[in-house]
Amino acid sequence: MTHTPHELSEDFPGDAERIRDLRIADPHFARLVEEYHAVNRAVHRAETLVEPLDSLQEQDLRRKRVQLKDQIVSCLKVAS
């Protein structure tokens, strides 16, 4: 378990501009990114014990984060 937040800009440094442009142009993509950031912040708060969760809740949040990231990657592939 890491305590490093999984920011999209760090995970996809070459796509930062495309992510920004898609957020502006595509409301669905913008919603996915916002939801990803919210879930990612919740995972980070749980990992750092700022807002501890039981292990099942934390695992569910991590799964949700992976699902959202997969959807974001799919959108990026379609847009390229």
Side-chain angles (χ1 to χ4, degrees):
M1 168 173 70
T2 69
H3 298 301
T4 306
H6 293 255
E7 297 297 331
L8 291 175
S9 59
E10 294 170 359
D11 289 345
F12 305 105
D15 291 323
E17 187 174 321
R18 215 162 38 137
I19 290 171
R20 186 201 69 220
D21 292 345
L22 274 173
R23 285 179 75 180
I24 294 167
D26 183 346
H28 173 70
F29 185 78
R31 185 190 58 76
L32 287 174
V33 170
E34 290 306 314
E35 189 174 353
Y36 176 85
H37 286 306
V39 170
N40 188 46
R41 284 189 298 270
V43 169
H44 185 65
R45 287 191 307 269
E47 288 177 343
T48 57
L49 303 178
V50 171
E51 292 180 21
L53 299 173
D54 69 47
S55 61
L56 289 178
Q57 289 174 311
E58 196 171 328
Q59 285 175 355
D60 286 344
L61 278 176
R62 285 195 184 114
R63 280 190 203 102
K64 179 69 174 172
R65 180 174 63 186
V66 168
Q67 291 169 345
L68 288 164
K69 188 180 279 188
D70 287 346
Q71 290 176 40
I72 289 167
V73 167
S74 293
C75 289
L76 287 171
K77 286 180 182 177
V78 168
S80 62

